[in-house]
Every structure is written in C-alpha cells, then in structure tokens.
Amino acid sequence: MALVYQPVMQLSGILVSLLGWVLSCLTTYLPQWKNLNLELNELEIWTMGLWQACVVQEEGGMQCKDFDSFLALPPELRISRILMFFSNGSGLLGLLLSGFGLDCLKIGERQQEQKKRLLLFGGMLFWISGITAIVPVSWVAHSTVQEFWDENIPDIVPRWDFGEALFVGWLAGFCLILGGSLLNCTICSAEVHPSSVHYAVAEQQDQCQRLETETRP
C-alpha cells in the first residue's frame, strides 16, 4: 500500500507547492498590502503594496503611482521586497528539482537515490520559500497593528488596516510548507518500507521452517 500511496503523496505535495508558489508571486505584486479608508471621503479607498500606492474609487476606477525610490520606503517594505523575491526564486527552484524527482516521471528510473535527493532538496526549498513568504507579510501586519494602536497619533488621523495581500501571503506560506512536508514524508516512507518488507519476509520464512520441522516424522 505504501508503494501505491507514495506517487499520490508526491503529486499532492508538488501541486500544493505549486499553488503556494503562484499565490506567493501574486502576493508580491498585489497593491493591497495595506488599506486606508478615509472617513471624510468614503468613496475612495487607498491601498499600498510593495511597488505602488493606489486609489480605488467607488465608481470602479483605480489609479496607481509607483514608488519613486527604493530607499525612501519604510524598512518593512524594503525587506519584504527582498524576501518575497527570495521566496519566489526558491519556490521555482523547488518545483524544478522536485518535478524531476517524482516517481511517476520515467526519466532516471534507475537512479532512485538521485531522485530521492532531488525530492529532499525540493521539499527543503519549499520550506524556505514558505518561511520567507510568511515573514514579510507578518512583519507588515505587525507594524500595521502597532501604528493602528499608537496613542501618539491623533484620533483624527486615518489608520492603515490589513490588506487582502497579507492573507494571500499567509495562505501561500502555509501551502508551500505543507507541500514540502508531503514530499519529505514520501522520502521517509520510502526508507522505512523496504526494512518492514524485509522483516515480514524473514518472519514468514521462519514460520515456514517451523511448519516443516513440525510435519517431519
């Protein structure tokens, strides 16, 4: 049964990781990391991302302006850009390595050890990609909460709130870590399975020898 479930777990792991990688790339370019509702003008919603700030009007229009300088950004946005790029790159490399390590792929059927190493490295890269996707969105969320409850800011000043991109980033990190865990679990089960089969065969041989000795006159 382990041999049957192993390819299914591998495909599930790489599909979940692929979903997480797509969501991570989407999080990087979404402008909704922070939302700002103006009480004086409820027809407009300001949003801020890693690359630009936008104004969404109730009529359906959306105007965006790119940030002029990287150094002028807040520290959490500068580091978030770097971490999200690293997350996307490591996730893409993990997809390539783990894809060549799948058992259902006919390439390299006689090189099972190398394919296991590819799956292991791919799973570890998915873990790294997931962690580096969760860290920036969590950092931005933490700074947003601190600014929201800052008593030094007058109550009349509008406060930034969580944007949709933060939730997409958390989901992306969870999918990447889950996908990497599934891939690594298939490697562990593949290592345990031959020993268990060997033990079962040895036990069956012992039983047969006992029956032969008992049936002898």
Side-chain angles (χ1 to χ4, degrees), residues 98-109:
S98 58
F100 285 109
L102 294 176
D103 289 342
C104 59
L105 194 65
K106 300 301 181 182
I107 301 176
E109 286 184 341

Side-chain angles (χ1 to χ4, degrees), residues 138-166:
S138 300
W139 188 4
V140 173
H142 177 68
S143 63
T144 303
V145 171
Q146 283 187 325
E147 294 174 358
F148 189 89
W149 297 108
D150 191 355
E151 297 179 354
N152 297 324
I153 301 177
D155 294 337
I156 195 173
V157 178
R159 311 295 177 95
W160 289 99
D161 200 352
F162 288 173
E164 292 82 358
L166 298 183

